[in-house]
Amino acid sequence: MKFYFSSLLFSLSLILAGCGGGDSASSARSSTLIFSRGSDAQKLDPADVDDGESVKTLNQICEGLLRFKPGTLEIEPWLAESYTVSDDGLEITFQIREGVVFQDGTPLTAESAAFSFLRQMHKDHPGHLPGAIFQYWNYLYSDINRVEAAGPMTLVMGLSQPNATILFSLAAFPAYLISPQSLEDYGQDLVQNPVGTGPYQFVSWEPNQAIVLKKFEGYWGEPAGFERLVIKSVPENAVRLLDLKAGKTQGLDGLQPAEVQPLIEDPNFEVYHEPGMNFSYLAINETAVRLSEPEIREAIYMAIDREKLVRVALDGLGEVAHFPMAKGMLGEPEEFDPVPFNPAAAKMILDKYADRWTEPISISVMNAPRLYAPDPVNMISLIREDLKQVGLTVEVEVRDFKNHLHHTRNGRHEIGFLGWMGDNGDPDNFLSIHLASWAAKMGGATNIAFYKNDEMDRLLIEGRKARVMSERQRIYEEVLELWRKDLPLLPLVHGESIVVLRSDLEGFTLSKTGDIYLGPVKPKTN
């Protein structure tokens, strides 16, 4: 990992102080954008992360062959100037954009672009780092069986079978390109030293404090709006909010909805918010024998007042979740009977198994704010009170986000609270992530219920292959019927995407995927 140069450390101390320091401090602040978030990144290798804070940093540094047009789920060429798909759906050809360089000066070519995919595909590749999981390769890209340079600026991808989601997945962060030279320069430490093609380039990382970036002067697109970007980690919402009001930070996310409401009416701030492509849930571990019967899981679900979660935990800025995916996605049936809030019925079922509740039920939760849970501990406290009303005692285990992920991915929980923010706008990105057996690998699981069902796997694979939307709709309706029968996880709420910036800034657009792109943000010109 890089350490701060003494001159940078001095500048950063002035920036983070937010006051004093005379002209030097004022100049540093005016050329620096400071964005505060609730927790730190885990690592900075786009191929081997799945937490939002790591992605939030990488969004400023790296780019992919394709991207989502700002504010939409429509894909467009980006580091590729164009692409074509063969008639049989088994080959994609990309024409690489001319004149692009990575932040270390390495030219972008078909060969340098291929590096970022080949290192995930092949375990014997030098870039397939020890300890790396590359979980997204299994979830989103496993149908890619060939990546090769067919010319200096022509990249060809071969697929083992048609995949209706692949282009959308190639616009998501795991397909960001990094410089092959970074492996030579940093070896295994490239996960702390990302080198991409984006508007900002990496400078330094002080864990749990700040990640410092600077404008990439060789950027091929619209230049970054500031000379420096500092992404601070401030766990306490109240402190982040005070910093914003005091001018010590220019933007933030992860606030409680109740904290956002006054800012909406304050002319000093611009609040960007809209329904997010996300959901929160309780995952019931398959090893939790006393919770194995579907009727017990349904009883727990009926005992939870999800409308109250929206009203209290989200302060009305959200909706009840009825399915394990974002609202309104392909596959959602036109008509359905939602699981009702019915504590009386829940108690009748749970009383049949009274001998199982002599010990408390354990729910594991993180203490870091997310789009779907601005205060996860508070949300679980509300759920604990609901379950108490039907005779269940709940023990809450709270961990920081990194340790919570480690705990749940290794199956050490009885019930785990988590959520998901969509990557590519496709239902497969929700349903396979949480219901497929291949997503339940110990240590890197996103299916933290560790649910495994051969029929579910078959349907999910069919959904990926189908190229006709009506056929995919039918398949995913069957997926949801099977989920409803087994209830391995209990969807709770959809949260709103909320980002707050000072009103003297412009250029920001909310992303449908929940990603945050700060490159276009710049001071307003009067």
Side-chain angles (χ1 to χ4, degrees):
M1 182 182 297
K2 288 185 178 178
F3 294 92
Y4 290 103
F5 301 108
S6 59
S7 60
L8 177 61
L9 182 58
F10 174 71
S11 298
L12 183 60
S13 67
L14 294 176
I15 292 164
L16 298 184
C19 59
D23 293 341
S24 177
S26 176
S27 175
R29 289 196 301 274
S30 65
S31 61
T32 301
L33 175 63
I34 302 178
F35 188 90
S36 295
R37 54 170 177 200
S39 57
D40 201 4
Q42 305 298 313
K43 63 172 72 171
L44 296 177
D45 180 353
D48 195 38
V49 299
D50 67 355
D51 67 287
E53 303 307 336
S54 299
V55 176
K56 196 176 296 175
T57 305
L58 290 164
N59 288 336
Q60 324 313 323
I61 300 169
C62 300
E63 302 172 308
L65 296 171
L66 308 176
R67 75 164 187 172
F68 295 110
K69 288 184 179 180
T72 78
L73 290 173
E74 182 181 351
I75 57 173
E76 66 176 350
W78 198 238
L79 292 182
E81 288 185 318
S82 63
Y83 65 92
T84 56
V85 181
S86 63
D87 290 342
D88 61 6
L90 295 178
E91 191 170 271
I92 310 169
T93 302
F94 298 93
Q95 293 302 317
I96 304 299
R97 187 177 297 277
E98 301 274 358
V100 179
V101 295
F102 290 95
Q103 292 144 359
D104 59 6
T106 302
L108 176 64
T109 64
E111 184 176 355
S112 62
F115 166 83
S116 293
F117 301 102
L118 294 173
R119 65 182 289 251
Q120 299 182 65
M121 288 177 64
H122 303 305
K123 292 183 178 180
D124 59 351
H125 191 283
H128 199 96
L129 302 178
I133 300 172
F134 298 126
Q135 56 265 57
Y136 272 92
W137 190 263
N138 293 324
Y139 307 152
L140 299 181
Y141 309 103
S142 59
D143 288 333
I144 299 175
N145 61 8
R146 177 170 52 92
V147 179
E148 59 189 14
M153 304 300 284
T154 302
L155 182 73
V156 176
M157 285 186 183
L159 304 180
S160 59
Q161 59 188 359
N163 185 320
T165 73
I166 194 66
L167 290 175
F168 293 92
S169 297
L170 289 170
F173 70 87
Y176 283 168
L177 305 185
I178 63 171
S179 170
Q181 185 62 39
S182 66
L183 179 62
E184 299 292 326
D185 292 342
Y186 300 110
Q188 294 185 34
D189 287 339
L190 72 79
V191 301
Q192 286 98 25
N193 294 275
V195 181
T197 62
Y200 285 104
Q201 68 182 97
F202 178 79
V203 175
S204 60
W205 183 1
E206 184 71 19
N208 298 315
Q209 296 293 323
I211 293 175
V212 180
L213 312 178
K214 68 178 181 179
K215 178 189 287 188
F216 174 37
E217 298 295 345
Y219 185 53
W220 64 275
E222 187 71 24
F226 288 84
E227 293 300 315
R228 286 178 296 276
L229 170 60
V230 178
I231 303 176
K232 291 175 61 179
S233 300
V234 183
E236 299 83 6
N237 284 9
V239 176
R240 290 204 307 283
L241 185 55
L242 286 172
D243 284 351
L244 180 72
K245 292 179 177 179
K248 295 180 181 180
T249 186
Q250 287 76 51
L252 48 73
D253 67 349
L255 288 180
Q256 292 257 19
E259 297 167 322
V260 171
Q261 292 290 358
L263 298 177
I264 294 175
E265 301 173 2
D266 190 326
N268 293 307
F269 307 106
E270 188 75 31
V271 178
Y272 301 83
H273 66 103
E274 64 178 29
M277 194 170 63
N278 62 71
F279 81 114
S280 61
Y281 61 86
L282 295 177
I284 300 174
N285 197 327
E286 287 292 298
T287 63
V289 177
R290 62 175 173 166
L291 305 176
S292 60
E293 286 84 355
E295 71 169 343
I296 290 178
R297 299 173 181 201
E298 184 171 33
I300 291 173
Y301 206 14
M302 289 192 295
I304 298 171
D305 186 350
R306 290 173 287 154
E307 293 283 358
K308 182 176 70 175
L309 296 182
V310 172
R311 189 172 61 253
V312 177
L314 300 181
D315 203 46
L317 294 180
E319 297 180 85
V320 168
H322 297 294
F323 298 103
M325 62 183 190
K327 183 181 178 181
M329 297 197 92
L330 182 71
E332 182 176 301
E334 288 188 14
E335 298 181 1
F336 61 91
D337 294 320
V339 176
F341 173 53
N342 192 337
K347 191 173 189 311
M348 287 182 63
I349 295 170
L350 294 171
D351 284 349
K352 291 163 50 179
Y353 302 90
D355 61 320
R356 299 189 185 186
W357 320 128
T358 55
E359 297 293 328
I361 287 175
S362 173
I363 300 181
S364 298
V365 63
M366 69 284 199
N367 59 10
R370 319 303 296 158
L371 289 181
Y372 48 77
D375 186 341
V377 177
N378 178 52
M379 188 172 285
I380 294 303
S381 295
L382 294 171
I383 291 172
R384 177 175 59 185
E385 289 304 310
D386 286 342
L387 296 182
K388 182 179 179 181
Q389 300 305 311
V390 296
L392 297 182
T393 301
V394 174
E395 180 180 76
V396 180
E397 298 181 0
V398 182
R399 295 176 177 82
D400 64 67
F401 193 48
K402 181 177 181 179
N403 284 314
H404 177 66
L405 290 179
H406 182 76
H407 186 78
T408 53
R409 287 172 179 170
N410 284 280
R412 297 172 183 168
H413 57 289
E414 185 171 30
I415 299 176
F417 173 83
L418 209 54
W420 188 255
M421 296 177 283
D423 302 303
N424 64 8
D426 193 90
D428 178 75
N429 182 233
F430 283 83
L431 299 175
S432 287
I433 290 289
H434 296 100
L435 301 174
S437 64
W438 58 81
K441 294 182 179 179
M442 197 67 70
T446 52
N447 171 1
I448 63 167
F450 294 90
Y451 171 72
K452 298 177 182 178
N453 183 305
D454 290 342
E455 176 63 10
M456 179 66 78
D457 286 350
R458 183 189 68 78
L459 288 169
L460 291 171
I461 291 171
E462 278 191 14
R464 286 182 174 182
K465 291 181 181 178
R467 302 176 73 180
V468 178
M469 287 299 103
S470 60
E471 178 66 6
R472 297 192 78 208
Q473 173 71 25
R474 179 193 63 78
I475 292 168
Y476 288 129
E477 285 190 25
E478 291 186 33
V479 166
L480 294 176
E481 288 176 6
L482 186 52
W483 157 78
R484 178 65 180 83
K485 173 177 171 287
D486 293 343
L487 286 179
L489 74 164
L490 313 179
L492 299 172
V493 298
H494 304 294
E496 287 204 346
S497 297
I498 302 172
V499 173
V500 182
L501 296 176
R502 294 192 64 84
S503 57
D504 56 358
L505 300 176
E506 63 182 3
F508 181 75
T509 303
L510 270 180
S511 166
K512 295 292 185 184
T513 60
D515 292 325
I516 293 176
Y517 299 95
L518 298 173
V521 175
K522 58 186 178 181
K524 280 185 178 177
T525 54
N526 296 324

